[in-house]
């Protein structure tokens, strides 16, 4: 039931590809001469390379996994999320809203903005919360990557947990070595290669989903299977049995705020040659941000169709006592429909995507620790190049250790995208409010920014929504999921952050603002 | 079911536009990105040489 077309030839392709990419990462290291080169690639990335890196960072194996999981469970309705991303990035790219000013300020990390606009305390607080949210957010990445490899290569099964955990460990070690060695120049270059290989791999997977009629796939089969199985809810995202309006609004808020101030993406805006390149990167990167979720969502939709028409798999994934998890379906599908050789290339590309996302994320959070937490706490404006690289590398390793523990211990929720959205909101709800407010509202003050950031911490409670829902149902025999869920809770917290920001700013204006007001009088 | 068919047509159109624009992007990025990689190396090395010269 779990056999795939992955053979020794595919393993050879994977190993050659990974070793080749690793050697390349080490080779480009010779162009790294100082901390700026290591952290922001010397701000020398042109438009095409910036776009490739921008998309390469967002196009990780985990993205493919979470999007395919939601495609598998919700069908075509999930396509609304990539559509929102497409529109939001087109808007940011044409208007330059917030991102243009960020680039013009020549920042190395995003929290630096908070020191320039507010105070050093705001920078440290933002840095701490960014790292907390960011590391929690990527907590499930390694496990997702390992689940993909396990099931696409045919190691999957009902008792595959040990295999998944072993591969998780191996992947984390690989990515740590790679990130510590290379820095941002290696990230930029390998992101480019990943972009090329993955674009081909994504297209290949899509091609088989649309043309493999022998396995009941193809557009018409997928549409009719979903229509017969789930009706309108499979296509209408605001349908009562699908995501609903709250989720829809929540996604707009998340994608918009993440585009501006989610460090791994925003760091790309900081590494470009100039602000015009930043705008172009967002504008031309928009199709990439659509595709990175839309293609795997179609894979997930195809996986459901495939499983639906194969009785054994139907029982395992969709039966009354189903033991299968949505995360296993897409890799299993690809392993079964993509021919040997092509499969190796696709797995190699996706593994490389895994590395690409991890190195960018690790570097983003680790550089925030060194630049925005350690440096201000040491009372220096800037660390020396050597200190900067050393602290960043130590932070990378520490984050890796956390990922190992969290990845193995934490159980995969039904929707990893929802988990990621909730953990992202811990940082986004407070910091996006302070960042946008600080840019476009003159009366914004340090106290307002700090209150908003502290308010964002309430979003951690979102991680306990599912247990509370289950407990309430068992205890009182009624469901509270309609009004008490991750989206409604974190949207409320976002509103609280805005109120705290306004109240704090009006009640405790900064000293300079008081002086300006006195001068005006 | 009428509403469902409207949604199906909608997603078909969205996917065609999205995948089509991405294909064009890929065809442009592959050669131009390679050019940018070499330019980046040159720039980093040139800046480093300049810094060394100014220190001397």
């Amino acid at each position: 039931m779990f056999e795939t077309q992955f053979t020794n030839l595919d393993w050879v392709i994977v190993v050659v590809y990974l070793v080749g990419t690793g050697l390349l990462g080490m080779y480009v290291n010779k162009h790294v001469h100082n901390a700026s080169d290591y952290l922001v690639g010397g701000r020398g990335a042109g438009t095409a390379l910036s776009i490739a890196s921008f998309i390469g960072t967002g196009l990780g194996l985990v993205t493919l996994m979470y999007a395919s999981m939601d495609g598998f469970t919700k069908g075509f309705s999930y396509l609304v999320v990539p559509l929102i991303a497409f529109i939001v990035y087109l808007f940011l790219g044409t208007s330059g809203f917030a991102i243009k000013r960020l680039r013009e300020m020549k920042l190395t990390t995003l929290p630096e903005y908070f020191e320039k606009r507010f105070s050093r305390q705001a920078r440290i607080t933002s840095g701490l919360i960014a790292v907390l949210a960011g590391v929690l957010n990527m907590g499930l990445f390694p496990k997702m990557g390992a689940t993909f490899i396990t099931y696409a290569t045919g190691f999957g099964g009902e008792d595959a947990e040990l295999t998944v955990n072993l591969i998780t460990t191996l992947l984390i070690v690989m990515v740590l070595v790679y990130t510590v060695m290379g820095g941002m120049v290696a990230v930029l270059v390998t992101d480019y290669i990943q972009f090329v290989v993955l674009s081909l791999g994504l297209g290949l997977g899509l091609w088989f989903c649309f043309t493999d009629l022998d396995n009941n796939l193809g557009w018409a089969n997928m549409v009719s299977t979903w229509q017969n199985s789930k009706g309108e809810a499979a296509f209408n995202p605001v349908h009562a049995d699908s995501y609903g309006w709250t989720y829809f609004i929540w996604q707009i808020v998340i994608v918009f705020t993440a585009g501006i101030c989610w460090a791994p993406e925003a760091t790309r805006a900081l590494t470009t040659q100039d602000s015009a390149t930043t705008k172009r990167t967002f504008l031309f990167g928009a199709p990439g941000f659509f595709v990175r979720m839309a293609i795997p969502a179609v894979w997930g939709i195809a996986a459901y169709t495939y499983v639906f028409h194969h009785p054994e798999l139907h029982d395992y994934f969709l039966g009354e006592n189903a033991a299968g998890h949505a995360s296993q379906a897409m890799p299993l599908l690809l392993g079964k429909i993509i021919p040997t050789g092509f499969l190796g290339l696709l797995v190699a590309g996706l593994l490389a995507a895994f590395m690409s996302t991890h190195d960018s994320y690790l570097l983003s959070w680790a550089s925030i620790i060194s630049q925005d937490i350690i440096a201000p706490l040491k009372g220096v404006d800037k660390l020396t190049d050597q200190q900067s690289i050393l602290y960043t590398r130590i932070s990378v390793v520490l984050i890796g250790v956390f990922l190992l523990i969290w990845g193995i211990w934490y159980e995969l929720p039904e929707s990893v995208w929802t988990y990621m959205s909730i953990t992202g909101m811990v940082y986004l709800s407070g910091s996006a409010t302070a960042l946008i407010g600080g840019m476009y509202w003159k009366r914004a003050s340090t106290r307002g920014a700090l209150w908003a950031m502290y308010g964002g911490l309430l979003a951690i409670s979102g991680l306990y929504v599912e247990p509370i829902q289950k407990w309430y149902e068992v205890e009182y025999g009624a469901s509270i999921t309609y009004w008490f869920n991750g989206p409604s809770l974190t949207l409320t917290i976002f509103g609280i952050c805005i109120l705290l920001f306004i109240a704090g700013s009006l009640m405790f204006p900064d000293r300079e603002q008081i002086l300006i007001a006195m001068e005006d009088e | 079911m009428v509403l469902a068919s409207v949604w199906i047509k909608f997603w078909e159109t969205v996917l065609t536009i999205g995948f089509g624009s991405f294909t064009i992007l890929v065809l442009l990025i592959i050669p131009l990105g390679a050019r940018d990689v070499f330019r980046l190396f040159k720039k980093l090395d040139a800046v480093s040489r300049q810094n060394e010269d100014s220190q001397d």
Side-chain angles (χ1 to χ4, degrees), chain A residues 31 33 48-49 192 232 235, chain B residues 3 11 25 30 36 43 45:
Chain A
H31 297 282
H33 305 285
L49 184 57
Y192 167 73
E232 192 193 318
F235 306 95
Chain B
L3 196 56
W11 290 127
L25 183 75
I30 290 176
D36 281 354
K43 185 183 171 185
D45 292 342

Side-chain angles (χ1 to χ4, degrees), chain A residues 143-186:
Chain A
K143 195 166 194 170
M144 298 288 284
T147 305
F148 176 86
I149 305 219
T150 306
Y151 283 86
T153 53
F155 286 128
E158 291 183 29
D159 301 312
E161 201 177 337
L162 181 65
T163 315
V164 171
N165 286 342
L166 281 174
I167 296 178
T168 303
T169 311
L170 190 69
L171 288 176
I172 290 174
V173 171
M174 265 167 56
V175 88
L176 284 182
V177 171
Y178 181 73
T179 312
V180 167
M181 298 292 289
M184 187 54 84
V185 178

Side-chain angles (χ1 to χ4, degrees), chain A residues 133 137 250-251 254 415-429 456 458-466 485-487 489-490:
Chain A
N137 185 267
W250 188 51
Q251 286 303 310
I254 285 176
S415 170
V416 171
W417 174 240
T418 302
Y419 165 89
M420 289 174 62
S421 299
I422 289 170
T423 48
M425 285 297 268
V426 173
Y427 170 70
L428 292 175
S429 47
L458 292 171
I460 292 179
S461 58
L463 291 178
Y464 301 99
V465 165
E466 267 187 41
N485 49 52
L489 179 72
T490 46

Side-chain angles (χ1 to χ4, degrees), chain A residues 437-452:
Chain A
M439 273 184 189
Y440 297 100
W441 188 39
K442 282 184 184 170
R443 297 183 70 175
S445 77
T446 300
R447 191 64 68 93
L450 288 172
W451 282 10

Side-chain angles (χ1 to χ4, degrees), chain A residues 55-121:
Chain A
I55 298 172
T57 301
L59 192 62
L61 181 47
V62 68
T63 317
L64 306 183
M65 287 293 284
Y66 68 65
S68 73
M69 283 168 69
D70 271 53
F72 184 82
T73 50
K74 299 285 185 184
F76 293 80
S77 295
Y78 179 71
L79 291 172
V80 75
V81 178
L83 181 62
I84 290 170
F86 192 45
I87 295 167
V88 163
Y89 280 87
L90 282 180
F91 168 75
L92 291 175
T94 45
S95 67
F97 181 79
I99 54 167
K100 187 168 171 277
R101 290 200 193 185
L102 283 176
R103 176 62 190 87
E104 284 167 351
M105 291 173 83
K106 292 189 176 174
L107 310 167
T108 303
T109 62
L110 211 59
E112 248 183 275
Y113 163 82
F114 293 105
E115 180 166 5
K116 287 192 175 174
R117 174 62 180 84
F118 298 110
S119 67
R120 179 160 286 192
Q121 193 191 352

Side-chain angles (χ1 to χ4, degrees), chain A residues 291-473:
Chain A
V291 158
R292 76 180 189 128
M293 289 192 272
I295 289 184
V298 172
W299 289 353
I301 290 166
Y304 182 89
T305 311
Y306 183 91
V307 161
F308 196 84
H309 293 284
H310 288 76
E312 253 190 329
L313 289 172
H314 185 282
D315 287 347
Y316 180 70
F317 282 105
L318 309 170
E320 264 185 37
N321 298 314
H325 191 270
S327 62
Q328 302 159 359
M330 180 274 280
L332 196 60
L333 169 84
L334 295 184
K336 283 185 180 291
I337 66 168
I338 295 183
T340 302
F342 283 124
L343 189 56
L345 198 64
L346 181 68
V347 171
L350 292 179
L351 254 178
F354 175 89
M355 308 266 285
S356 152
T357 306
H358 273 75
D359 57 22
S360 295
Y361 269 67
L362 284 169
L363 209 56
S364 292
W365 305 128
S367 56
I368 287 177
I369 294 175
S370 68
Q371 308 294 312
D372 302 306
I373 299 173
I374 296 176
L377 286 176
K378 279 173 79 97
V380 294
D381 283 336
K382 210 177 164 202
L383 295 168
T384 65
D385 277 1
Q386 277 180 329
Q387 283 175 326
S388 193
I389 293 174
L390 177 70
Y391 290 134
T392 304
R393 284 177 169 162
I394 292 172
S395 307
V396 165
V397 175
L398 290 178
I399 295 171
V401 172
F402 169 81
L403 291 182
L404 189 59
I405 298 165
W406 186 261
I408 290 173
W409 169 76
Y410 197 87
E411 277 195 28
L412 284 183
E414 191 184 318
S415 170
V416 171
W417 174 240
T418 302
Y419 165 89
M420 289 174 62
S421 299
I422 289 170
T423 48
M425 285 297 268
V426 173
Y427 170 70
L428 292 175
S429 47
S431 291
T433 303
L435 188 137
I436 296 169
M439 273 184 189
Y440 297 100
W441 188 39
K442 282 184 184 170
R443 297 183 70 175
S445 77
T446 300
R447 191 64 68 93
L450 288 172
W451 282 10
M453 290 177 199
Y454 295 140
L457 288 171
L458 292 171
I460 292 179
S461 58
L463 291 178
Y464 301 99
V465 165
E466 267 187 41
I468 292 171
Q469 286 171 338
K470 281 177 189 163
W471 166 80
Y472 192 90
E473 206 164 336

